Amino acid sequence: MFRQLERRKRADNNKYAALPVFATLPRELMPHWPSPFRPPKMHYGWELKAELLLEFAEQHNLLFRFTVPDSDEEGLAEDEHPEPRRRLSPSELRSAQTLLFQERVYTMHRSLPKLALSLTPKPPKTSRITSAINADPYSIVSLYSNYDLPNVPADEFINKLARAMGYTEKPRWFLDGANVTWMRWECAW
């Protein structure tokens, strides 16, 4: 399934997206130093439930908002009316949509550590939101990766986080969104 020395091409993304999600990490994907190549990065976690993290952020005042310059409407007299708002051009609309998307992403990245901290006084540093090429949507809550095996969070923390986020299924192994091929050890990601 994972061939060493395989070069990633854009056309390969569909092939990687079709890879299965593993219940247990295959042995050949565990990093092993004497081997000349590093296996692809795998994340142990769940597919992201964005709405739950955004709700947590709203309840705990963690929403991220880009600052918007004040409008000129504040300086108008009562009898004056602001100019009618014009329609946004397609590029302006894309920019606005991108900003809204980035606000959601930043809010979720800010919320997960706070949620973990509310569950335990010393949460693991390995938990994060990241991309996975074989997840739907492409974002997951990663508890740790195959390169974090010496620092695996306690089962108690994993169970608490699962309950807090509404997950009933066990975490699974997802392929990282960027590091999907075998690399020589001297290459760092």
Side-chain angles (χ1 to χ4, degrees):
M1 178 180 346
F2 294 97
R3 291 190 329 240
Q4 291 187 6
L5 295 174
E6 187 176 351
R7 295 281 179 224
R8 182 177 181 185
K9 301 177 195 115
R10 231 178 259 267
D12 290 339
N13 281 350
N14 289 338
K15 177 180 76 173
Y16 292 121
L19 288 174
V21 177
F22 300 110
T24 58
L25 183 66
R27 187 177 182 103
E28 62 268 13
L29 295 177
M30 291 181 189
H32 184 61
W33 172 247
S35 169
F37 296 97
R38 296 170 64 146
K41 192 170 192 178
M42 302 290 292
H43 293 279
Y44 189 64
W46 302 279
E47 292 177 350
L48 179 63
K49 291 183 179 180
E51 295 310 315
L52 188 127
L53 270 180
L54 293 171
E55 184 181 313
F56 178 85
E58 192 171 340
Q59 291 170 355
H60 293 86
N61 199 23
L62 297 170
L63 293 175
F64 182 90
R65 297 279 187 235
F66 287 105
T67 56
V68 179
D70 292 336
S71 67
D72 293 334
E73 295 178 19
E74 293 175 9
L76 296 176
E78 282 186 35
D79 59 341
E80 293 182 66
H81 297 288
E83 292 180 29
R85 294 187 181 202
R86 64 180 177 79
R87 294 184 68 165
L88 295 175
S89 71
S91 65
E92 290 172 324
L93 186 57
R94 278 191 300 277
S95 295
Q97 289 170 334
T98 300
L99 283 178
L100 288 173
F101 174 76
Q102 287 177 339
E103 284 180 350
R104 285 176 55 102
V105 170
Y106 293 154
T107 296
M108 290 185 291
H109 280 276
R110 178 188 280 184
S111 300
L112 185 63
K114 298 290 184 183
L115 177 60
L117 192 59
S118 73
L119 300 174
T120 182
K122 199 170 182 185
K125 294 182 190 308
T126 58
S127 301
R128 62 189 159 277
I129 295 174
T130 190
S131 63
I133 203 163
N134 60 342
D136 181 33
Y138 292 108
S139 297
I140 62 167
V141 174
S142 173
L143 297 166
Y144 56 93
S145 77
N146 54 337
Y147 288 91
D148 297 323
L149 292 176
N151 303 316
V152 172
D155 286 339
E156 179 184 348
F157 170 76
I158 293 172
N159 294 334
K160 281 182 181 179
L161 187 61
R163 280 193 304 277
M165 295 193 71
Y167 293 110
T168 55
E169 69 275 2
K170 291 226 177 261
R172 297 175 293 162
W173 288 97
F174 295 89
L175 184 61
D176 186 77
N179 304 305
V180 297
T181 59
W182 292 80
M183 301 175 80
R184 292 200 175 275
W185 275 101
E186 52 269 5
C187 298
W189 51 52

